[in-house]
Structure formats: structure tokens, C-alpha cells
């Protein structure tokens, strides 16, 4: 189940004894109708839906528990796909009812038992016929449709889309039972995100559960049972086959992209799909298969680069159940992308196919190679230069070098060395800097016009240079670069762990490594940010996703610096919440804190078994529904076989619970629901 579905179980009072929600307890406007293969506004994961059919069973009531991209080019059985599909933004725009919309082909998985076993009157034979006809649901029991989004909604993550959906379609009464006063949309959205966080914390703390990217939760026992059965369909043997297939890059290619959903279907259909195999990918079972397979693959990625020299990472977590990217790596030591957790999708496929303008490395004025004479120049050594074994050259110097082999002659203190180096654009690589050379030291370089030898030396200064940390330098040093470089280091693996998005990783980089500003914020240049996240070996190509994420965050610029402040804005995604936790921002403050109404359980309906509610109780229902903030949530009219219960509330300072007020004393309760205590 998605986190949104777990939230629903609490908010809409899922009845464990009944094994579902009570449809007659909810306002019917909460259950929109959709028709397969028709164009309509998208449904969020967590949304309720009525699927229209013209079969004898009538319309089907369900809850959206999963959705994925279903691009027309993604045919089941495909091994590898066009890189342009991985991470591609929604771009097919149109106009509908006077507003601009984005059209996306999507496949929705529904829980048709969400409203109890008897709400849908479809038999097993009717369901089989419905899938075989593939008219109202497709052959696997999924709802496929052309979904429409607002221009700013198509790129939202599931929880953010669900929050926006609730605010737009069901604003009236939303979380009203939690607050004593009306909240603004921004405050209510923040309250929703906090409530999602609370449910995630509960789910993450349940030892019986396991999750895929802290979004989809499933039973640990079910997953372990699948792994322990080597020969079962989609057991450990089949999952290993799928994993090995993802790590194989076709001959003649440097990288490839493979969708997990079609790979699962293709594996089962190789020799004709049996009824047992079909059941594993039909309806909501498909969600389990995809989450288990992705979790298995993630568990195999214990190293940065596999022994085969291939780097495997998730590139798109929405299209076709997830698209994995495999790349052959020539030099694992200088491969920057291994520094980003492999489960953070970067959308590199689309970037590569679009051939976007490269992000070039930038240097501050005091780091640029500086010409000192016709044959001389100076370079300030950085931490990244040391890690790469690199000497940066100005364009003029690079052009003056003779073609062919280049030698480096380096002199520092008693060290004298000369050896061949590798030329790569406006830089030389393969330099073995003496250990005593610290970041910030100024390298005095010389080259004869048309020569093939670059001479590098350090120069003693008198008096010594002193940095703010008290360190004294006897050699020419740029103190500003030294102080910046020594404070800057790559995020540790433990500091990256748990980040669900690149934006979250950027937030952590600023929070943990950013330079303090007078206004309480943090500052980093783009080069510094790339070094903190990717390490010192990054290349301009590696920084494309970073540049896009920074641009989407809308950070302020202060010269070469990006200015960052810990705050909640409308751009803060549900997956970027550790930023807030680190600053205590997840504690409600100000007006939001003052308006919180302490409670245990909101007003809800309780089903009778042998009698009906009194006339007084029925008359009082509309006023109570509004007074306890459940208008827009509970059904407008009290169902015939139900009474209503006031919310549980906190008692005195000793924490004694107030007695729950249940009208109609002596009422006989549903046998499936325990009495109030």
C-alpha cells in the first residue's frame, strides 16, 4: 500500500472488522467516475474512484493504490527502451474547458476490495471476462486512461499530487476536526504534509513492514517468503534473472535503459502465461510484484560500481514501474555518479537524448590561471585538483603547448620530479602532487612557447601567511581558497542515506556544508555544491541534473553564491522533509500550533446490528458534522443503520481520557467493533 492509502485508513476510518471503508459513510462527491481509455483529469494515488462499465456487474468502486506511466512506445516484452522516455517531462499540452492542461498516458492499479468484500457485485467469472475483453479494465485488470494535469501538476510526486487534489477538490472540511480555526491553503497544505510524515513514521517503525523508497509498504514476511523460494514463479530465481538482465549493456553501447514492469511481464509470458502467473500481475498483485522486484534489485547494489564495471541506478521511478539505467564505467575512481544514492532518479536518459547545453565548471577570480609573463602563469591548487591529479591551464597556455606528449616537471621544497602526463582539453591529468601541497597553495608555472614541458614550482614567502585557523604557510598561498576548501568536504554516505530526491540531497548539502551567512542562511557556489554531492571527480555532464534541481528550487543568487534558507514553501515537496526536521521545523509553530485541537479520534460513525439511531441523534447529526469538522468527509445524511460518536479528546493535566460520549445509552454495537473505553 502507498503511504497515501495508509493515511486514508486513518482519516476515513477503515473498518478492520468489515475489511473496508463504508461507502455510505463518505460524501459521494469524494468518489468521481472514470471510464477506461477516456480522457479525464488524473486521479492521485489514494483517491477513490468509480470505474464505469456497461457489464451486468455495474460500475466498480475502488481506491487508487498505484499508478505508473504508460507511454505508447512502452510495449510489454521490450528489453531496452529509447533513453528519451526515461525522466521525460509531460509535454503534450492542450486546452480543456478553457484551461491549459498536460496529457499523460497512465495506468492505474485499483484495490477493488477497498470498500469491503460485498460493495462490488462482480463475480470471479465476470472479472475474468472483463479483463479478457480489455474494455473497461485492461487485460491485467488495470485502469488505463489519458490523464489530464494542470501545467504545474504533471511533475508532482504522488503525495504532493494527493495533497493538491484534496485541497482543490475536497477543501471543505479537510482536517477541520484537527483545528479550532480556519486555516489558509498554505497552512492546510503544511498540515497535510505533517500528517503524511506522521503516518510514514508509524509505518517505518513497524517491524512487520518493509518499503520501496519509503512510499510503498508491504509485509516483510511476504517478501522473505518470495526470496526463500528459489524455484517459484517470481521467486528468488526469477528476480535474479531480471537483475542480471538489467546489468547487461548491449554490445556497442555505453549505456542502456530498461523498464521493470515490462521485464516482469515478459518473463512470465515467455512460454505462455498460466493462470497462476497471471494472478501475480493482475490487479493490485502487480504492485506487489513491481515493489518486490525493485527492492530486490536495490538490495543487490551493495557497491558503487559492480565488479563487471557497470554502474546500475534507478533513473525514472514513475514510467513503467521504474526505469533502470546501466552504464559501462571506464574508470570507477573518477566516476562521479556513484556518489549519488542509486535510488534517487536523475532522469539522465532524457537529458542525454535532448543533448542539452553542457554545464561548465566555473572558478572564482582567485582560482583562475593567471598569466604572469609570455611563458608563465599561476594556478591556485584546489582539493578537486589534488583528487583528480589535475593542472588547469588557461586557453592561451593550452594552445601554446606543442602537439604530442607532454611532460610535467614539479619542484617543491626538496622534491624534484619529472614524468609524462595526459592532456585532456584545457587541463593536464596524471599529476602526482607532493603530499605537503595544501589546498590554496599558489603554483607558479612556466612553459616555453611550442614546448612540451610544463614546469611547476612553489615560492617561499616572508613573513609567513597565517589563516584564520592559525595555520602558518611558508609558501605563497591564497588564504581565502584554503579556508573555503578546508571547510568543504563531500557528504558522507550516512548523510546521504534516506534522501528520496535530488532536491533533498541539495538541501542536506547546504545545511551540512554551506557557509554561514549573516541572515542565518547558508551559501555555496555551484562548483562547491557539485563537490559536496558528487565528490571532487565530477565532470560538467554529471552536473546537469544538479543544475536543473537548483533552478527548480528558485534559490537566490549572491554573486557566484547560491543563498539557501531552511524554510517551508509551496515548493517544498513531501520527500524533502529532513530539511525541516533538522531545524525543528516539523514542530508546529505560530498560528498553526495555536489552532491545533487536541484529540485522539475524530467524530465517526458506528454501525448498529439490531436497532436504528434515535430521532434526536439523527436530528443532531448535521449540526454535529459541522461542529466537529467532518462536513465534506462523512456522508451528508446519517445512514439508516449507524449512529455517530463524538471525537475522543484529552482530559485533565494528568492525561486521563475524557469519557467518550456515545448517544443512545445501551445501544447494541456492531460485533466487529470493540466497545469504547
Amino acid at each position: 500500500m502507498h503511504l497515501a492509502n495508509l493515511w486514508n485508513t486513518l482519516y476515513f476510518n477503515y473498518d478492520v472488522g468489515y475489511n473496508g471503508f463504508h461507502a455510505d459513510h463518505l460524501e459521494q462527491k469524494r468518489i468521481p467516475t472514470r471510464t477506461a481509455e477516456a480522457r479525464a483529469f488524473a486521479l492521485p494515488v489514494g483517491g477513490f474512484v468509480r470505474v464505469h462499465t456497461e457489464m451486468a456487474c455495474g460500475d466498480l468502486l475502488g481506491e487508487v493504490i498505484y499508478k505508473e506511466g504508460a507511454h505508447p512506445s512502452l510495449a510489454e516484452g521490450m528489453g531496452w527502451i529509447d533513453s528519451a522516455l526515461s525522466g521525460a517531462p509531460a509535454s503534450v499540452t492542450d486546452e480543456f474547458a478553457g484551461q491549459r492542461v498536460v496529457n499523460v498516458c497512465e495506468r492505474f492499479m485499483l484495490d477493488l476490495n477497498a470498500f469491503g468484500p460485498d460493495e462490488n457485485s462482480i463475480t470471479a467469472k465476470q472479472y475474468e471476462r472483463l479483463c479478457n475483453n480489455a474494455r473497461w479494465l485492461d487485460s491485467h485488470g488495470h485502469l488505463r486512461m489519458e490523464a489530464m494535469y494542470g501545467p504545474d501538476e504533471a511533475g508532482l510526486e504522488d503525495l504532493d499530487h494527493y495533497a493538491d487534489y484534496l485541497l482543490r477538490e475536497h477543501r471543505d472540511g479537510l482536517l477541520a476536526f484537527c483545528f479550532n480555526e480556519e486555516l489558509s491553503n498554505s497552512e492546510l497544505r503544511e498540515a497535510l504534509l505533517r500528517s503524511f510524515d506522521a503516518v510514514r513514521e508509524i509505518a517505518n517503525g513497524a517491524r512487520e513492514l518493509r518499503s520501496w523508497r519509503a512510499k510503498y509498504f508491504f509485509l516483510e514476511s511476504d517478501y522473505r517468503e518470495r526470496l526463500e523460494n528459489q524455484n517459484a514463479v517470481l521467486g528468488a530465481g526469477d528476480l535474479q534473472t531480471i537483475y542480471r538482465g538489467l546489468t547487461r549493456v548491449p554490445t556497442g553501447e555505453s549505456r542502456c535503459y530498461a523498464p521493470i514492469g515490462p521485464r516482469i511481464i515478459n518473463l512470465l509470458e515467455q512460454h505462455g502465461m498460466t493462470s497462476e502467473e497471471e494472478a501475480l500481475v493482475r490487479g493490485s498483485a502487480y504492485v506487489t510484484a513491481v515493489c518486490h522486484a525493485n527492492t530486490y534489485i536495490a538490495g543487490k547494489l551493495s557497491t558503487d560500481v559492480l565488479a563487471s564495471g557497470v554502474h546500475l541506478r534507478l533513473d525514472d521511478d514513475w514510467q513503467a514501474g521504474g526505469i533502470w539505467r546501466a552504464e559501462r564505467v571506464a574508470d570507477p575512481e573518477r566516476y562521479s555518479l556513484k556518489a549519488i544514492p542509486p535510488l534517487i532518479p536523475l532522469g539522465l536518459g532524457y537529458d542525454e537524448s535532448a543533448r542539452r547545453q553542457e554545464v561548465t565548471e566555473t572558478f572564482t577570480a582567485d582560482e583562475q590561471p593567471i598569466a604572469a609573463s609570455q611563458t608563465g602563469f599561476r594556478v591556485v591548487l584546489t582539493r578537486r585538483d589534488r583528487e583528480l591529479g589535475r593542472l588547469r591551464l588557461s586557453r592561451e597556455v593550452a594552445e601554446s603547448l606543442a602537439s604530442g606528449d607532454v611532460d610535467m616537471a614539479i619542484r617543491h621544497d626538496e622534491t624534484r620530479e619529472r614524468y609524462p602526463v595526459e592532456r585532456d582539453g584545457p587541463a593536464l591529468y596524471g599529476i602526482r602532487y607532493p603530499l605537503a601541497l595544501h589546498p590554496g597553495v599558489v603554483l607558479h608555472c612556466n612553459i616555453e612557447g611550442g614546448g612540451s614541458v610544463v614546469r611547476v614550482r612553489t615560492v617561499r614567502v616572508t613573513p609567513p601567511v597565517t589563516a584564520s585557523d592559525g595555520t602558518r604557510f611558508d609558501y605563497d598561498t591564497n588564504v581565502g581558497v584554503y579556508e573555503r576548501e578546508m571547510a568543504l568536504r563531500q557528504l558522507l554516505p550516512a548523510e546521504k542515506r534516506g534522501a528520496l530526491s535530488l532536491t533533498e540531497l541539495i538541501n542536506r548539502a547546504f545545511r551540512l556544508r554551506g557557509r554561514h551567512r549573516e541572515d542565518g542562511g547558508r551559501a555555496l557556489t555551484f562548483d562547491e555544491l557539485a563537490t559536496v554531492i558528487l565528490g571532487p571527480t565530477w565532470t560538467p555532464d554529471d552536473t546537469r541534473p544538479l543544475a536543473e534541481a537548483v533552478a527548480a528550487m528558485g534559490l537566490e543568487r549572491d554573486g557566484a553564491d547560491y543563498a539557501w534558507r531552511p524554510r517551508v514553501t509551496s515548493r517544498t515537496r513531501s520527500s524533502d522533509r529532513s530539511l525541516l526536521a533538522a531545524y525543528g521545523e516539523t514542530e508546529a509553530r505560530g498560528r498553526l500550533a495555536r489552532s491545533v485541537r487536541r484529540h485522539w479520534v475524530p467524530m465517526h460513525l458506528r454501525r448498529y446490528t439490531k436497532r436504528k439511531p434515535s430521532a434526536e441523534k439523527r436530528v443532531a447529526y448535521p449540526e454535529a458534522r459541522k461542529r466537529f469538522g467532518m462536513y465534506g468527509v462523512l456522508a451528508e445524511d446519517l445512514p439508516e443503520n449507524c449512529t455517530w460518536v463524538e471525537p475522543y479528546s484529552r482530559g485533565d493535566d494528568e492525561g486521563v481520557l475524557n469519557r467518550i460520549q456515545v448517544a443512545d445509552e445501551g445501544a447494541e454495537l456492531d460485533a466487529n467493533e470493540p466497545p469504547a473505553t
Side-chain angles (χ1 to χ4, degrees):
M1 296 181 70
H2 192 279
L3 183 63
N5 305 118
L6 296 178
W7 184 88
N8 282 349
T9 64
L10 299 177
Y11 189 73
F12 295 109
N13 298 314
Y14 184 93
D15 190 332
V16 177
Y18 177 67
N19 287 329
F21 301 104
H22 294 283
D24 58 349
H25 290 190
L26 302 175
E27 281 221 46
Q28 292 308 296
K29 68 179 182 180
R30 287 190 172 274
I31 311 177
T33 300
R34 294 291 186 271
T35 302
E37 301 296 343
R39 185 185 184 199
F41 279 103
L43 292 167
V45 176
F48 301 132
V49 63
R50 189 182 301 275
V51 180
H52 172 67
T53 79
E54 295 178 3
M55 295 182 62
C57 62
D59 292 351
L60 300 176
L61 203 60
E63 180 186 17
V64 180
I65 61 173
Y66 174 91
K67 68 177 178 179
E68 66 181 25
H71 195 280
S73 298
L74 282 168
E76 290 177 359
M78 294 178 63
W80 295 285
I81 62 171
D82 182 357
S83 61
L85 295 179
S86 185
S91 57
V92 182
T93 58
D94 201 352
E95 186 169 317
F96 181 82
Q99 60 177 311
R100 298 293 294 174
V101 296
V102 179
N103 300 324
V104 179
C105 290
E106 287 189 310
R107 184 180 290 109
F108 299 81
M109 278 88 251
L110 311 177
D111 180 5
L112 297 180
N113 293 317
F115 288 89
D118 303 323
E119 184 64 37
N120 294 318
S121 57
I122 187 170
T123 65
K125 184 175 293 186
Q126 286 175 322
Y127 182 68
E128 184 71 23
R129 187 163 61 249
L130 181 146
C131 293
N132 290 338
N133 293 336
R135 183 179 179 187
W136 311 112
L137 298 177
D138 70 10
S139 60
H140 298 304
H142 306 151
L143 174 65
R144 180 176 173 137
M145 56 182 283
E146 184 179 356
M148 295 187 299
Y149 290 87
D152 299 328
E153 295 178 336
L156 291 177
E157 296 175 349
D158 291 335
L159 284 180
D160 298 292
H161 184 213
Y162 192 35
D164 286 0
Y165 171 83
L166 292 172
L167 285 167
R168 183 181 65 253
E169 302 294 335
H170 306 293
R171 173 69 169 81
D172 190 30
L174 183 60
L175 291 181
F177 61 84
C178 296
F179 301 98
N180 295 316
E181 54 187 280
E182 187 73 14
L183 300 182
S184 67
N185 279 349
S186 61
E187 291 171 328
L188 191 53
R189 185 178 188 277
E190 174 61 15
L192 273 173
L193 294 182
R194 293 180 191 277
S195 68
F196 293 153
D197 282 345
V199 177
R200 179 186 283 115
E201 184 177 352
I202 294 172
N204 282 334
R207 290 179 297 177
E208 299 87 355
L209 297 182
R210 191 169 183 143
S211 75
W212 166 238
R213 301 190 70 240
K215 296 198 308 185
Y216 287 96
F217 292 84
F218 49 87
L219 289 175
E220 173 75 24
S221 57
D222 288 350
Y223 180 66
R224 285 296 164 197
E225 182 179 354
R226 173 163 275 169
L227 295 190
E228 290 168 1
N229 198 332
Q230 181 73 24
N231 299 319
V233 180
L234 283 186
D238 285 349
L239 293 180
Q240 177 69 8
T241 299
I242 292 173
Y243 167 72
R244 284 199 303 264
L246 294 178
T247 62
R248 292 172 181 164
V249 181
T251 303
E253 300 288 339
S254 61
R255 60 185 66 92
C256 63
Y257 297 82
I260 194 68
R263 289 236 167 182
I264 293 174
I265 300 294
N266 183 45
L267 179 69
L268 298 180
E269 289 183 339
Q270 282 181 346
H271 305 291
M273 191 178 290
T274 66
S275 57
E276 176 191 4
E277 292 169 333
E278 177 64 51
L280 292 175
V281 291
R282 176 165 283 181
S284 57
Y286 173 81
V287 186
T288 304
V290 167
C291 290
H292 282 187
N294 280 324
T295 302
Y296 178 85
I297 296 164
K300 300 288 283 187
L301 301 181
S302 57
T303 58
D304 297 329
V305 177
L306 302 175
S308 61
V310 170
H311 178 69
L312 183 67
R313 67 175 306 108
L314 183 68
D315 198 57
D316 186 328
D317 67 340
W318 168 74
Q319 193 75 259
I323 297 177
W324 290 83
R325 176 185 190 269
E327 180 180 14
R328 286 199 181 97
V329 178
D331 185 357
E333 295 302 319
R334 289 173 60 178
Y335 185 70
S336 300
L337 291 181
K338 68 181 182 180
I340 298 181
L343 300 188
I344 294 181
L346 300 179
L348 296 172
Y350 179 76
D351 276 342
E352 291 163 359
S353 65
R355 298 181 181 177
R356 296 181 178 176
Q357 182 178 0
E358 290 188 0
V359 179
T360 57
E361 185 176 2
T362 59
F363 298 93
T364 59
D366 54 4
E367 292 179 63
Q368 296 284 3
I370 303 172
S373 68
Q374 185 176 1
T375 59
F377 61 97
R378 297 192 301 273
V379 178
V380 180
L381 186 69
T382 66
R383 184 187 297 272
R384 189 158 183 259
D385 290 333
R386 284 194 58 91
E387 294 289 342
L388 288 176
R390 176 184 69 177
L391 177 68
R392 289 174 281 115
L393 308 176
S394 65
R395 181 172 57 85
E396 293 79 5
V397 170
E399 291 175 351
S400 69
L401 273 172
S403 59
D405 296 337
V406 177
D407 281 4
M408 168 69 67
I410 189 165
R411 185 179 73 188
H412 171 69
D413 200 11
E414 299 298 325
T415 300
R416 304 286 191 278
E417 287 188 286
R418 176 169 172 165
Y419 45 83
V421 292
E422 175 186 350
R423 189 199 324 235
D424 187 357
L428 301 178
Y429 288 91
I431 302 169
R432 302 187 295 271
Y433 287 111
L435 294 177
L437 288 187
H438 52 270
V441 68
V442 178
L443 304 177
H444 293 252
C445 310
N446 183 275
I447 180 175
E448 296 180 2
S452 60
V453 179
V454 178
R455 303 182 186 280
V456 177
R457 62 189 175 90
T458 55
V459 176
R460 285 186 176 273
V461 292
T462 304
V465 179
T466 303
S468 59
D469 61 2
T471 305
R472 293 164 59 88
F473 301 108
D474 296 323
Y475 291 89
D476 189 7
T477 298
N478 187 310
V479 175
V481 173
Y482 166 80
E483 292 176 343
R484 190 202 69 199
E485 291 285 299
M486 295 309 292
L488 190 67
R489 65 183 190 279
Q490 186 178 358
L491 288 174
L492 302 174
E495 294 169 328
K496 297 177 183 179
R497 195 172 299 122
L500 297 178
S501 70
L502 191 55
T503 307
E504 166 71 356
L505 209 56
I506 292 171
N507 283 330
R508 295 185 185 191
F510 275 100
R511 175 169 59 82
L512 298 174
R513 300 291 188 271
R515 288 175 272 108
H516 288 271
R517 290 168 52 90
E518 292 182 357
D519 60 4
R522 301 283 197 278
L524 288 172
T525 66
F526 186 79
D527 291 347
E528 291 171 339
L529 177 65
T531 300
V532 168
I533 292 178
L534 298 172
T537 61
W538 58 265
T539 65
D541 276 345
D542 300 335
T543 63
R544 288 174 178 172
L546 273 179
E548 293 175 1
V550 169
M553 293 170 68
L555 299 178
E556 298 176 13
R557 294 296 298 271
D558 184 2
D561 286 344
Y562 282 95
W564 175 91
R565 299 175 185 83
R567 62 189 180 196
V568 182
T569 70
S570 60
R571 297 184 183 218
T572 304
R573 292 193 171 195
S574 58
S575 59
D576 303 331
R577 306 295 287 177
S578 73
L579 154 72
L580 309 177
Y583 279 88
E585 294 289 340
T586 48
E587 296 295 330
R589 297 179 179 180
R591 182 168 178 269
L592 189 63
R594 292 193 302 272
S595 62
V596 172
R597 177 186 298 150
R598 299 296 180 184
H599 69 285
W600 281 89
V601 179
M603 171 189 172
H604 59 281
L605 303 186
R606 177 166 287 170
R607 188 176 295 273
Y608 281 118
T609 56
K610 297 181 180 179
R611 56 180 298 182
K612 296 181 179 180
S614 65
E616 293 80 6
K617 195 69 171 177
R618 186 170 295 280
V619 169
Y621 176 70
E623 190 277 331
R625 178 170 165 267
K626 185 171 183 62
R627 175 159 54 97
F628 294 124
M630 297 304 291
Y631 53 94
V633 180
L634 294 180
E636 186 174 356
D637 298 318
L638 185 66
E640 289 292 328
N641 59 343
C642 293
T643 187
W644 56 271
V645 182
E646 289 187 6
Y648 296 56
S649 60
R650 290 191 182 276
D652 54 26
D653 292 338
E654 282 71 36
V656 180
L657 294 178
N658 286 341
R659 181 169 56 92
I660 301 174
Q661 302 298 319
V662 182
D664 298 337
E665 292 186 5
E668 297 179 32
L669 304 179
D670 190 324
N672 289 323
E673 182 162 349
T677 57

